[in-house]
Amino acid sequence: MSTIVPAGIDSLDNHVDDEIVGCLSLTEPKSFFLFAGAGSGKTRSLVKALDYIRLNLAHELRLHNRRVAVITYTKAARDEIIRRTQFDPIIAVSTIHAFAWSVIEGFNHDIRDWLRHALAADIDDLRAKEARGRAGSQASIDRQADIAAKTSRLMRLDTITRFVYSPDTDNRGQDSLSHAEVLEISSDFIRTKPAMQDILKDGYPFILVDESQDTNRHIVDALFALQATHPTRIALGLLGDMMQRIYGDGKAKLGEELPPDWIKPVKKLNFRCPRRVIRLLNKIRQATDRQEQVPCSRAIEGSVRMFILPAATPNKPAVEARIRAAMASATGDEKWIEKGGSKDLILEHRMAARRLGFDELFSSLQTFNPFRTGLLDGSLPILSLFSGKILPLIDAREDKFTIARIVRTLSPLLSAKVLRTVVDEAAHLSMVHAAVAALQEKGKANNATFGDLLQEIASSGLFEIPEALYSSIGKETSKLPSEENEEDDRSARDEAIEQFLRVPFDQIRSYVEYVTHQATFDTHQGVKGLEFPRVLVIMDDTEARGFLFKYEKLFSGAGEDTTIASTRRLFYVTCSRAEQSLCLVAYTSNPEGVRNHVIRQGWFDHSEVELAV
């Protein structure tokens, strides 16, 4: 393929930003859908639109106490946009869950009525299924438990005066709303309550939705209805690419059959990927919308390789190390074999835990569902004690300044309240030093477990201990609000904690690296919006044990279905992260068949595919 770059290619998409700016009028707002493929500079266009508003419309907005709503899919994207718009208060940036809660927070009477009808309908549906089902089966037991739980919650509704919610926790209190409920309630209120529509149209003349293809479909439908009802007062701006829709609750066929007065700009340039990767991306999406991207003037040729191995391959981490060495040889890039030189994408967190050495930690806690969110983002309190307090103190070794800073900041033994009661300050400080030394010594032991470190902290009082760990150190657990499934939850929680406390403490280090995205590994879904020089994609349906994505089916040539379509989109997302070179590793029951299929599809040349390494 020719590598000649047309003159002025980098200005190919300049008209797009002008089209968007043309929609941002307070007197004649226009709604738009921006198609922006991978690496096209979607966020840059969004920030340019916001900068135009800040420069030209800020005075008018402030005068009438109005703001611009920007809805993002992740907290990282939210923070990035806030930073790039210089923390301007007229730009209200929030995740979809935070936005949804901001819509309904305080409408406690309306929320209660909604829940009353929803719970009653759910109970009726469950009872109807129970009447048709087989008594004594596990499904029947689960239905009866659901009926009891929902009935109990329905009876308690009138005792709740104020509903609460946090986008960042599991929301398990009696007065809490779940994530799904907040999305459903807010979307219903936006569609059906004129007062709610007035609040939004008067407060937000522009609502811009980033990653709109993955934004909850109920919210998107509600925003469509809001804009259609008030087309001269509000502009809805959707930015995204349906080929990058990887979550099931997004709106299908978003961008198709839009109202005729909507503006539909398209970005064609890819500023991220090398030419060889862009050709692969264009081939992958030929089976869908046939959108094609164009490389920018500075794009290198780059390289792509695919390694296909049997699903039963033993010692896969060692095989993948040899593949990195093969990539270093093929590309002449030694960074492929350096630690952290590539970003390795896996399908499921447990795959990373096995490869990074914290499998016991992960498997002990992920069995208790309320722990999962905090386990995956690093916010679980029982882990934060070890990751945020104990580990830094142990790693400080003999750094007296760092040790003093950690203890002064985090230890209750040096809190103002405690120090006011100390009679002999020198003796107290000596006791604190001894506690630090004992903890560091315990942490250095090769066989030390999380339980060992917990007992050390319990005996010294050096750090506060999360309530969930009280029973593990012989203390009486304080009473929590009564729940209909409290005893079952507490039993499952305590079992998970007991297993965790038997795990070697040294696994915390690789766990922290993983959840802070400093490790080599990340998930296929978790890197959307990110980019890396060298990307290695590991596709292993057997190890992942998932059901939403099946690379085996995608590479088999089977007929199109929803699983193949969603897997193709995920494949596109992972491939489009690469800035220089891309390596694909497929474990399969039919290596020869996969090789023939990917070559027949035109995704790869014969020289780019290897059956073993």
Side-chain angles (χ1 to χ4, degrees):
M1 179 175 287
S2 172
T3 58
I4 297 176
V5 180
I9 189 67
D10 291 344
S11 62
L12 181 65
D13 291 339
N14 286 2
H15 67 95
V16 170
D17 293 337
D18 295 335
E19 290 183 55
I20 293 175
V21 164
C23 298
L24 304 176
S25 167
L26 292 173
T27 55
E28 297 182 41
K30 298 177 183 177
S31 294
F32 65 89
F33 180 90
L34 169 64
F35 167 80
S40 64
K42 170 177 58 65
T43 302
R44 185 167 59 247
S45 289
L46 173 58
V47 171
K48 279 187 175 182
L50 296 174
D51 285 343
Y52 171 84
I53 293 171
R54 294 171 58 226
L55 182 63
N56 297 278
L57 305 177
H59 175 73
E60 184 73 11
L61 290 171
R62 290 192 180 97
L63 190 63
H64 295 91
N65 195 28
R66 307 180 83 190
R67 297 195 294 170
V68 179
V70 181
I71 301 173
T72 66
Y73 196 81
T74 66
K75 290 183 287 186
R78 174 202 63 194
D79 295 343
E80 176 68 8
I81 294 170
I82 290 174
R83 183 187 65 80
R84 290 171 66 171
T85 53
Q86 301 178 6
F87 303 88
D88 194 322
I90 69 165
I91 310 298
V93 191
S94 59
T95 62
I96 183 62
H97 290 90
F99 173 81
W101 177 238
S102 73
V103 170
I104 65 173
E105 184 179 9
F107 288 83
N108 297 295
H109 175 76
D110 300 274
I111 292 172
R112 187 180 299 105
D113 283 348
W114 190 95
L115 286 172
R116 183 175 287 110
H117 288 95
L119 288 169
D122 288 346
I123 293 168
D124 288 345
D125 181 59
L126 286 167
R127 285 173 174 164
K129 290 179 179 177
E130 180 64 14
R132 297 192 302 268
R134 180 166 58 87
S137 65
Q138 185 60 51
S140 174
I141 294 172
D142 291 342
R143 281 193 297 268
Q144 291 181 40
D146 283 346
I147 290 170
K150 289 179 183 294
T151 300
S152 176
R153 189 182 184 196
L154 181 60
M155 294 174 63
R156 291 199 311 266
L157 278 181
D158 287 331
T159 68
I160 299 173
T161 58
R162 176 176 173 267
F163 291 92
V164 298
Y165 170 76
S166 169
D168 303 320
T169 66
D170 288 312
N171 298 291
R172 293 179 57 80
Q174 291 185 16
D175 53 356
S176 296
L177 298 174
S178 70
H179 299 303
E181 286 171 341
V182 166
L183 293 176
E184 290 182 45
I185 295 171
S186 59
S187 60
D188 185 51
F189 285 9
I190 293 172
R191 282 195 309 268
T192 63
K193 293 185 178 297
M196 185 68 67
Q197 295 182 1
D198 289 341
I199 291 172
L200 288 173
K201 72 176 175 60
D202 293 340
Y204 303 104
F206 311 117
I207 300 178
L208 308 180
V209 185
D210 192 20
E211 299 288 0
S212 58
Q213 74 279 350
D214 275 322
T215 302
N216 179 269
R217 61 182 177 275
H218 301 299
I219 295 291
V220 171
D221 284 338
L223 293 176
F224 268 112
L226 172 68
Q227 189 275 332
T229 305
H230 304 281
T232 63
R233 294 295 308 277
I234 193 168
L236 179 60
L238 307 179
L239 302 88
D241 173 15
M242 287 303 290
M243 192 64 188
Q244 297 185 69
R245 181 171 71 91
I246 59 177
Y247 296 103
D249 63 348
K251 181 176 174 61
K253 298 183 179 180
L254 182 65
E256 300 179 18
E257 300 180 358
L258 291 170
D261 59 339
W262 277 51
I263 308 302
K264 309 173 189 66
V266 175
K267 304 196 78 169
K268 292 185 175 296
L269 279 169
N270 183 321
F271 290 96
R272 175 194 301 147
C273 301
R275 298 171 183 279
R276 178 62 190 94
V277 171
I278 292 174
R279 294 199 295 273
L280 172 61
L281 298 177
N282 289 341
K283 283 288 186 181
I284 292 172
R285 71 185 304 160
Q286 273 187 351
T288 56
D289 56 16
R290 297 185 176 273
Q291 291 278 1
E292 291 197 354
Q293 288 186 299
V294 179
C296 68
S297 62
R298 66 175 182 273
I300 63 173
E301 177 60 21
S303 62
V304 170
R305 294 289 187 278
M306 185 171 189
F307 296 85
I308 307 173
L309 302 104
T313 297
N315 197 355
K316 292 174 181 176
V319 171
E320 290 151 17
R322 293 198 296 271
I323 288 174
R324 292 188 198 93
M327 286 299 296
S329 176
T331 62
D333 183 357
E334 292 299 308
K335 288 189 179 294
W336 267 104
I337 55 176
E338 293 181 6
K339 182 179 180 180
S342 64
K343 176 59 74 171
D344 300 351
L345 307 183
I346 39 83
L347 267 169
E348 194 265 339
H349 296 285
R350 185 80 179 268
M351 295 171 66
R354 292 191 185 101
R355 287 163 170 80
L356 292 172
F358 63 92
D359 188 29
E360 292 173 281
L361 183 160
F362 184 84
S363 59
S364 65
L365 296 176
Q366 65 92 28
T367 56
F368 185 50
N369 194 57
F371 282 170
R372 285 191 60 84
T373 299
L375 173 64
L376 297 178
D377 67 14
S379 64
L380 189 63
I382 63 173
L383 280 175
S384 298
L385 167 65
F386 298 96
S387 63
K389 298 178 181 179
I390 296 176
L391 180 62
L393 193 60
I394 291 173
D395 283 349
R397 296 181 174 88
E398 298 180 4
D399 184 343
K400 294 181 180 179
F401 177 81
T402 300
I403 292 172
R405 177 180 55 80
I406 292 172
V407 176
R408 285 197 187 105
T409 304
L410 301 176
S411 175
L413 295 180
L414 293 185
S415 67
K417 180 180 179 180
V418 170
L419 291 176
R420 280 196 299 268
T421 66
V422 169
V423 176
D424 187 338
E425 186 172 322
H428 183 76
L429 291 177
S430 177
M431 182 269 290
V432 173
H433 286 306
V436 170
L439 180 65
Q440 289 183 320
E441 187 65 28
K442 181 74 72 173
K444 293 175 185 176
N446 291 332
N447 60 348
T449 66
F450 285 99
D452 293 334
L453 274 295
L454 177 64
Q455 294 300 331
E456 189 67 43
I457 291 295
S459 63
S460 69
L462 188 61
F463 295 123
E464 292 182 356
I465 293 174
E467 186 178 40
L469 295 176
Y470 283 1
S471 60
S472 301
I473 54 176
K475 293 185 178 180
E476 183 178 348
T477 305
S478 62
K479 297 296 183 181
L480 298 176
S482 176
E483 295 281 355
E484 57 273 0
N485 59 346
E486 178 183 346
E487 292 304 320
D488 289 342
D489 270 2
R490 190 175 295 280
S491 175
R493 184 195 69 177
D494 290 348
E495 182 178 346
I497 290 174
E498 287 176 14
Q499 290 182 358
F500 160 69
L501 292 176
R502 292 194 290 267
V503 172
F505 171 74
D506 60 11
Q507 293 191 18
I508 193 68
R509 198 178 310 280
S510 53
Y511 164 77
V512 170
E513 289 182 356
Y514 180 66
V515 297
T516 56
H517 303 285
Q518 299 177 48
T520 296
F521 291 94
D522 213 322
T523 61
H524 291 201
Q525 302 93 321
V527 295
K528 189 172 68 167
L530 304 178
E531 53 195 32
F532 312 94
R534 291 157 292 278
V535 173
L536 184 146
V537 182
I538 300 171
M539 298 164 285
D540 190 341
D541 295 344
T542 302
E543 187 176 359
R545 296 178 295 180
F547 60 90
L548 295 176
F549 305 107
K550 292 290 184 183
Y551 282 102
E552 190 86 56
K553 290 186 69 175
L554 176 65
F555 296 144
S556 70
E560 189 77 3
D561 61 18
T562 55
T563 300
I564 288 179
S566 61
T567 306
R568 181 186 293 108
R569 294 194 297 269
L570 188 63
F571 186 50
Y572 176 91
V573 167
T574 57
C575 292
S576 62
R577 302 306 98 195
E579 297 174 296
Q580 297 176 15
S581 53
L582 171 67
C583 176
L584 303 160
V585 181
Y587 295 101
T588 173
S589 60
N590 184 11
E592 188 68 39
V594 170
R595 179 180 183 274
N596 293 338
H597 178 71
V598 298
I599 292 174
R600 189 164 54 246
Q601 291 293 309
W603 292 353
F604 306 97
D605 296 332
H606 286 80
S607 61
E608 296 173 324
V609 183
E610 297 187 33
L611 288 182
V613 63

